[in-house]
Amino acid sequence: MPAQKLALPISGMSCASCVAHVERALGRAPGVLSVQVNLGTQKATVEYHPEQASLPQLIQAVRAAGYEVPTERLELPISGMSCASCVAHVEGALKKHPGVLSVQVNLATHRATVEYVPGLASYAELVAAVEATGYRVPPQAEEEEAGLEENREVREARRRMLLAWGVTWPLILWMLPEMFLGIAWPTPALYRLGMIVLSGLVLAVAGRGTYVAAARALRHGAANMDVLIALGTGASFLTGPLSYLVAVANYAGVAAMIMAFHLTGRYIEAAAKGRASQAIRKLIALGAKTARVLVAGREVEVPISQVQVGDLLLVRPGEKIPTDGVVVEGESSVDESLATGESLPVSKGPGDEVIGATVNQDGLLKVRATRVGRETFLAQMVRLVEEAQGTKVPIQELADRITAHFVPVVLGIAGGTFLLWLLAPDLLRPVAQWASAFLPWVNPGATPLTLA
């Protein structure tokens, strides 16, 4: 692999001695070929072998020298993920991008938390990396409507599940006499046709989204759970039409059953995702929507987004304190149970700090805003909840690594078994005879194509 160059931003340098110190620290790192540090731009241009040195190692070398490489954390909402393979695909694409230090993708909240070095990676580049894998990062305007979208997603998943089972249950009852008694009611021809029609309805209507998602994944060179379900149901369904042409059993009804179970899992997943996001939405809803700002002695009501640090706010009894600040005039009791869990009101007077979204109970307060927007206590609480939801325990990381390879391994085993049945059926027939003792749908006397 050829040598690579990167311009590493560095903070804390103030003189030529600092430059020399950083150059020595980076030069000693394994795999580094050359280092040039510019005091004016506060950047170090490093040429290194990527197989011997990595960005985290270079950053560690700078920090060990007493300087800092600034990093930022970014949360990306991602739509289109459906399983652990999708999570692994997105994480892999983001980790490959230069400048990215760590990535955590949460399937339940459909969010990716990315730590990166500004200048080496940007929001637009990270979005492009995600979209190159076949997934989508909704724009900010759409993200604000995420709650409504999640509700629609849950309702749609429930509708697909009910449609699938509404057709599949009669189909299962129809299959039972043939499975256990060998009776194809009312006639074998109508039974075979009924299996194809009913199963086709489930796959084409309720399961259409699964096939669209599978096609999108394959188009981007990935194999996720949708691909596995699409291949399994597709192969089962095709045995129906093929049974008119060659000696193969009709398993079209099984395809509907597989899809119904799959859509049930999708509904449970959508409902769980909605519950995970609901906690955050409830926290955000606790904040005040407007604030009364005193401008030249005149009271003006403005949206909370327009409040600036230093603004003087008027808070009447019974109103929420719009943002974090300091009381400059007035005395009152404030209900801070939101922040502290303490049920008793806390007395506040001039010089006391107050927390945004807490409730002023008794007197009139004038508050000087000290923190607004993403710096407020409530915003930091929301951010901590989001980070907690996105954090994986070690066993979950292990499970995700295993399931990332699950689909390719299953497809490989299925393909190998199919070929083995066609090329050496006598080798596997004892297995079919053994399985037939407790799996009623296994027929050891069936043709190799059916067993395959």
Side-chain angles (χ1 to χ4, degrees):
M1 185 179 293
Q4 294 182 0
K5 276 189 178 183
L6 61 80
L8 198 63
I10 298 175
S11 61
M13 296 188 300
S14 59
C15 61
S17 177
C18 299
V19 170
H21 198 188
V22 172
E23 284 184 343
R24 282 197 301 272
L26 286 170
R28 291 174 187 153
V32 173
L33 300 176
S34 65
V35 182
Q36 287 184 333
V37 179
N38 189 310
L39 182 61
T41 61
Q42 296 279 297
K43 287 186 177 181
T45 302
V46 184
E47 185 178 9
Y48 66 101
H49 284 302
E51 63 271 13
Q52 298 179 26
S54 64
L55 179 60
Q57 290 172 335
L58 298 177
I59 292 175
Q60 182 59 37
V62 173
R63 289 174 176 169
Y67 302 91
E68 190 59 56
V69 176
T71 61
E72 292 183 3
R73 293 176 75 87
L74 175 68
E75 283 206 356
L76 295 174
I78 299 174
S79 64
M81 296 190 299
S82 59
C83 63
S85 292
C86 301
V87 170
H89 201 197
V90 172
E91 284 185 346
L94 288 170
K95 285 178 180 176
K96 287 177 185 175
H97 192 282
V100 172
L101 297 174
S102 66
V103 181
Q104 284 187 330
V105 179
N106 189 297
L107 181 62
T109 60
H110 281 218
R111 286 181 175 271
T113 303
V114 185
E115 184 182 11
Y116 67 100
V117 178
L120 299 182
S122 66
Y123 173 81
E125 291 170 345
L126 296 176
V127 170
V130 172
E131 294 183 343
T133 62
Y135 304 94
R136 183 169 169 268
V137 178
Q140 184 65 30
E142 293 183 29
E143 174 65 6
E144 292 172 355
E145 300 176 1
L148 295 175
E149 180 60 33
E150 284 172 3
N151 290 335
R152 285 195 295 269
E153 183 181 333
V154 173
R155 288 196 301 269
E156 181 63 21
R158 184 172 183 272
R159 185 190 67 81
R160 290 194 296 265
M161 179 190 69
L162 292 177
L163 174 60
W165 280 114
V167 178
T168 302
W169 269 117
L171 190 147
I172 292 174
L173 295 175
W174 196 1
M175 292 171 63
L176 289 177
E178 195 276 338
M179 183 181 296
F180 291 102
L181 304 175
I183 301 172
W185 182 86
T187 65
L190 285 176
Y191 172 81
R192 193 185 312 174
L193 181 62
M195 292 293 109
I196 296 172
V197 171
L198 292 178
S199 180
L201 178 64
V202 172
L203 302 185
V205 181
R208 179 179 177 276
T210 301
Y211 292 105
V212 172
R216 184 170 60 243
L218 289 174
R219 195 163 57 245
H220 290 87
N224 59 12
M225 193 62 69
D226 290 315
V227 173
L228 195 61
I229 295 297
L231 288 177
T233 55
S236 297
F237 178 76
L238 286 176
T239 59
L242 282 175
S243 65
Y244 288 97
L245 305 174
V246 296
V248 61
N250 183 351
Y251 288 106
V254 176
M257 296 169 59
I258 295 172
M259 183 59 72
F261 279 110
H262 171 67
L263 294 177
T264 301
R266 282 286 180 266
Y267 168 66
I268 295 172
E269 176 195 336
K273 175 190 168 187
R275 286 193 296 270
S277 302
Q278 191 176 23
I280 295 174
R281 290 198 297 273
K282 284 182 177 179
L283 275 176
I284 295 172
L286 292 173
K289 302 297 183 290
T290 60
R292 291 186 175 89
V293 182
L294 291 174
V295 181
R298 188 167 56 91
E299 182 182 321
V300 180
E301 187 169 356
V302 299
I304 191 66
S305 59
Q306 295 182 13
V307 175
Q308 303 293 323
V309 173
D311 284 351
L312 188 61
L313 311 175
L314 188 68
V315 187
R316 292 190 172 91
E319 293 181 343
K320 289 181 179 179
I321 297 173
T323 190
D324 297 358
V326 176
V327 177
V328 297
E329 185 179 328
E331 293 184 353
S332 180
S333 297
V334 176
D335 179 3
E336 293 187 338
S337 57
L338 159 74
T340 64
E342 176 57 57
S343 59
L344 294 176
V346 180
S347 297
K348 298 290 182 181
D352 291 334
E353 292 188 354
V354 290
I355 301 171
T358 57
V359 180
N360 177 27
Q361 291 195 330
D362 299 323
L364 183 70
L365 292 178
K366 290 184 180 179
V367 177
R368 183 77 65 185
T370 57
R371 288 189 294 270
V372 298
R374 293 182 61 84
E375 302 303 317
T376 64
F377 176 85
L378 182 62
Q380 292 180 43
M381 188 189 299
V382 170
R383 192 155 56 246
L384 286 173
V385 172
E386 289 176 340
E387 288 177 1
Q389 289 181 342
T391 302
K392 297 177 183 178
V393 296
I395 189 63
Q396 185 181 357
E397 291 181 348
L398 175 63
D400 283 350
R401 284 198 298 270
I402 293 172
T403 52
H405 303 288
F406 175 75
V407 174
V409 169
V410 169
L411 293 178
I413 294 173
T417 305
F418 180 79
L419 291 175
L420 202 56
W421 270 114
L422 294 182
L423 300 176
D426 294 336
L427 189 63
L428 292 180
R429 200 170 291 278
V431 177
Q433 291 173 343
W434 168 75
S436 64
F438 52 89
L439 296 177
W441 55 85
V442 175
N443 179 9
T447 63
L449 182 60
T450 299
L451 293 169

